[in-house]
Amino acid sequence: MGNEGFTAFTLKSLTDEEYYLPGNAACPGCAAVMALRIGLKVLGPRTIVVVPACCMSVVQGYYPKTPSKVPIFNTAFAASAATAAGIRAALDIKGIRDVNVVCWAGDGGTADIGIQSLSGAAERGDDLIYVCYDNEAYMNTGTQRSGSTPEGARTTTTITGKSERKKDVPGIMMAHRIPYVATACTSYPIDFANKLRRAASIKGTRYIHLLSPCPPGWRYPAEKTVEVGKLAVETGAWILYEWFGGRCRLTGPSTGLAERSKRRPLEQYLEIQGRFSNADPSKIAEMRRRIDEEWERILGLCHD
Amino acid sequence: MFATGNHAVAYGVKAARAEVIAAYPITPQTQIIEKLSEFIEKGEMGAKFLRVESEHSAMAACIGASACGARAFTATSSQGLLYMSEMVFWAGLGSFPVVMAVVTRTLAPPWSIWNEHTDILSQRDAGWITIMCGSVQEAYDTAIQAFRIAEDRRVRQPVMFGLDAFSLSHTSERLDLIGQEGADAYLPAPEGHWRVVDVQEPATYGNLVGPERMMEIRYSVKRRVDDSAGVIEEAASEFSRISGRAQTGLVEEYRTSDAEVILAVVGASSGDAKDAADLLRDKGIRAGVARLRVIRPFPAERLGAALRGCRTVAVVDMDYSFGYGGIIGREVASVTGIRPFNYIAGIGGRDLGVRDFAGIARDALRRGESGDERREIWWGMKDSQPSL
Ligand SMILES: Cc1ncc(C[n+]2csc(CCOP(=O)(O)OP(=O)(O)O)c2C)c(N)n1
Ligand code: SF4
């Protein structure tokens, strides 16, 4: 597979330069903003970030201040990919070729209201990187369920736990046959950094779905963000993979977790958070079944 | 040459060298974007055409392009305009000089593809300069002027211009072009002075603003839209110099100076209204026409001056605001202090011809003389009108 000519990024390769400054308005322990900080280090100063309505609209802080050293362009909730497509078209017309155009959107703005413009951009092959930071609910408006909320999770609009399963946006994006789709998790920043770097080296629509634990929304103490994200991966509830050139491969710790016995018990991931406190054993068994199904599907893609 | 209103718009946009076009088809606008994509695919025009999946995305893409200092254009109609509305406000309140053609069409339900102005007027508070064309030639001329107005440093606001569905969009009339040289002389390449997204000068655009600053931000939009009135007149007179064709700025007056009755109209039916005025004058009735070319900024002073001294004013609205009245009629009344008779006509594309305008003028005169207090008349209804 296409790993040739791609030396993996290490912690040392990340620049000391900060493009997203401390003192921004994120909640303590916000994974989405940690990832943005890492992401901008990878992408560098010639990057334009498009942000729809979501937590990041608030995290950027209050006009006229901003924590960002790269331009951020805010747009309406449903419109990130289309806005980015317009930005790219203007850059092309002006002959500017070395700028990354990146959407940084929540799961609601991606899986639900924004999927039309994302799908349109992907179908047209618009040259942009789309990062969905998935905190698995509408957090900006106070933790309502989204299409990306996992089964069993409590939100303010599913107070006994969501009864539907999580929408598979990376799968939807793969079905668009775009050049690059990957999942990531903020707890594995180097894995994420490598994926972003790979994405930046390709043209066309590139999609990264980033699991981003959220202390207030998931109901765990702020200092546990990295641990929660790690548990998501180590229990197999979140699978790290990369799909490009028509092929899929597991990455990071997920590489060793294809066998179920290697994974930590799902309960460890569920118990550390308040949002699954309603889940009884039968619900947990259901979740486990979904996770197994998901593994089979991804492994199937890896073997093809 | 002969061209439809839609093709006239496409020729205008080509002459204006729009750089990014993002659009979605809807009848009766479709021919505008078909023609533009033809120009681009044949290499006659250097723009980027984004064949987006919805009007919401069309306007979002235009905003993104405009934010980078590119000249951006889209066209839509009716349902498309409403679907786009969130982004229409985003462009207006964010001061992005996007230009849009709106082929005015009735809103559903029930489905109807024929003319009515309620769609374009529904966006009147979005911070867009809003123009309504009177002819195919004016559709072309306005397409070019729109970019100049939008991009003017004193303005930097988006401009939409309307064409009446079918009666203008699909009707062929004689069309004179100004040529690429003429257009380039009139409209220099975009300087992009409004650019807000630039990696060389990073800034965050559109982040959260508190109550302590929002009024000032809105006030700057107000100032720009208000001040655009002068720029619109300037753009028209400069265009008239370059094209050798007389241009209408804010208001077109036809035989108004000594008129006893003035028909105040919007859009392409003004041609029929003028014929009606001629007809009535032949019969000894001093009739005139005032056409509002510009709806935002509302040309209160110019219109007031046109109507002053006239005993009877009939405002003809091809639109309606339920529970309020004809939109233009109400606006005319509120800014001029005149109490016009307000005729609601041509709804859903109902025929509205020379005879109707003559009838409306006579009806208004009669009502004025008899001291009729009823101000709103639905004209041309099939059922006998309920007496109010
Ligand atoms: C058209 C529209 N509908 C609703 C909203 C209200 N709204 C703002 S942010 C948001 C939720 C965003 O959720 P998500 O995309 O998951 O990002 P998060 O807030 O979780 O970071 C909603 C519903 C809006 N801004 N625009
Ligand atoms: S609510 Fe969650 S996602 Fe939003 S800023 Fe706070 S921690 Fe981050």
Side-chain angles (χ1 to χ4, degrees), chain A residues 280-297:
Chain A
D280 56 26
S282 75
K283 194 82 207 168
I284 294 173
E286 185 86 1
M287 289 182 205
R288 210 176 274 119
R289 205 168 40 246
R290 299 278 199 224
I291 290 170
D292 288 346
E293 254 176 59
E294 191 58 14
W295 271 96
E296 248 170 69
R297 206 178 60 79

Side-chain angles (χ1 to χ4, degrees), chain A residues 59-93:
Chain A
V59 165
Q60 290 163 54
Y62 217 56
Y63 172 88
K65 293 185 179 163
T66 178
S68 180
K69 288 211 263 179
V70 304
I72 295 191
F73 191 71
N74 285 273
T75 191
F77 202 12
S80 14
T83 307
I87 288 175
R88 171 62 71 196
L91 295 175
D92 284 351
I93 280 279

Side-chain angles (χ1 to χ4, degrees), chain A residues 26-27 30 55 59 135 139 214-216:
Chain A
C27 308
C30 174
C55 277
V59 165
N135 53 27
M139 295 310 178
C214 161

